[in-house]
Amino acid sequence: MEINTLTAAERRVWDAFPRGEVVDFRAAGDPDPEPGRHWGPERSVRAEVVRAVLLGGARQDGEIPALRLMGARITGWLNLRYATVDCPVSLNDCFLDDVPSLYGAQVRQLNLSGSVLPGMTAATLRVDGVLRLTDCRVTGPVRLGAAQISGAVFLDRARFSAAAPDSGPDGGPEADPEPAPDPEPLLQLNHATVGDDLWAPGLRVDGTLRLGGAAVAGSISLDDAVLTAPGRTALDAETLSVGADLSAKRIRVRGRVNLRGARIPGQLNLAYARLSHPGGVALRASSCVVGELWLREAAPIEGSVNLRRSQIDLLHVAPEVWSGGVRLNGLTYGTLAPHEPAGRRLAVLERDGDDYVPYAYEQLTASYRRIGDDDAARTVQLAKQRRQRRGLAWYARLWGHVQDITVGYGFRPMRAVTWMLSLLLVASVAYAVREPRPLKADESPDFNPVFYSLDLLLPIVDFGQERAFTPEGGWYQGLSYVLIITGWILATTVVAGVTRAVSRQ
């Protein structure tokens, strides 16, 4: 490029580059680059000049070259496809007219903090240092798929939105008889590799954030982020791999959060989050491996939750957070917090979209046993038997009701004692009022109404009373039959219930 074709603003950039000096075009009181499309030539730099500086700018011995612009308007298309830029690039608070292309490029460091641009095409970009998009405002897709960033990625307080639709003659949206396809994800980091943290607190995306297949060596911060894609996936992070934590405290999401197959060895922290996808899956974290999943003080999730086949060491969630349907088949967790009565946890299992899931009851039972709450564990097991009973044949359901009423399927053995003591009391009083007739008066022992009732009530046990006396009268004879039948039923259910309970230990 000929030097004599440069404008005064461009000449400042050209001269400052060899020494890495900052060229600040900002005027006092106007730090916001939003109105940059109206900036004149005094603070405009052609994209071809930027390209020429980066690829062929002068070097000066003893100095480190760098492009460092602030408050400039970059006009035209900045094309750095497949380019190798061996110096830092910093375009702070700048306004870019067109979508820059860095596809396949290699850059020492890229800083676009505070800038306004209509998108960016940078798939397979390689950054040897840090990529900064702090406070950026972008009105189109940012394509960073399969990018390799050796340092950190900064997206804090950045805003990504779609460009406004074209207007018709009346100023309204252009009529479209065909239904529009799902829009392209606005921020694409799918299959990207980040050597440090992905730092994005306060990020706002009015569309889809795609992190599918990405690998972040450090942590991810989405604290206070706002992701809005009603009716679609707002966060697509299938098979995401994180080296430490994924923190999304106070995040607000309208749309689906998809974390299927993610690997997060530290915390997946959704404390105080608000997730909303009415009528659909609001949180899909199936087949995940997570150290700790925190939903502490989160708002009730609007939509269902899918945690099938996931492995979680600590699951911190109050029952009311899962206000919709759940899918928990195959979910394995170590500790469940906070400690809640079994009834509140069981209400969640009743809403499982897979209907009766025995494994979910076993996991809940195990979690109560690990903290020594055996009563809650028995309550869960009893609820499991009742839920299973619904799908049995009528005769099996009848036998199940008998076991439930008498001994609580073996998990409430004191019920059998209560039944037996009640029947023993009634029978003893009845036979004391009207003693049975001795079968052989000269050989019969003294009559004892309590032991006579026990002889009838307890199978196998023999106190010699039942063989020596026979009740007279239909009511008393009927009572003896009731005692015999009830005794066998209670004995059978106690044995079946205790065997079942022991087998669970």
Side-chain angles (χ1 to χ4, degrees), residues 11 30 60 71 93 108 160 180 190 192 213 253 269 277 311 345 355 357-358 383 393 403 424:
R11 185 57 183 265
D30 71 337
Q60 186 171 326
D93 298 328
R108 177 70 59 85
F160 298 83
N190 46 300
V253 182
N269 196 336
H277 189 48
Q311 301 177 37
R345 297 290 186 189
D355 199 20
V357 180
Q403 294 186 79
L424 178 62

Side-chain angles (χ1 to χ4, degrees), residues 199-202 220-226 245-252 267-274 294-296 298:
W199 183 253
I220 295 178
S221 174
L222 290 169
D223 294 344
D224 300 297
V226 179
D245 303 328
L246 195 166
S247 179
K249 299 189 293 290
R250 299 173 299 277
I251 192 173
R252 289 180 290 163
Q267 287 188 354
L268 171 54
N269 196 336
L270 294 167
Y272 309 99
R274 302 182 66 89
W294 287 75
L295 282 158
R296 183 169 61 90

Side-chain angles (χ1 to χ4, degrees), residues 119-172:
M120 184 166 67
T121 300
T124 70
L125 169 70
R126 178 177 173 180
V127 180
D128 295 333
V130 170
L131 172 61
R132 290 185 181 272
L133 296 172
T134 298
D135 291 315
C136 275
R137 281 160 284 179
V138 189
T139 55
V142 172
R143 305 177 182 95
L144 286 163
Q148 299 181 50
I149 297 95
S150 63
V153 175
F154 291 89
L155 295 163
D156 40 319
R157 300 180 304 279
R159 291 184 291 170
F160 298 83
S161 60
D166 293 335
S167 299
D170 58 354

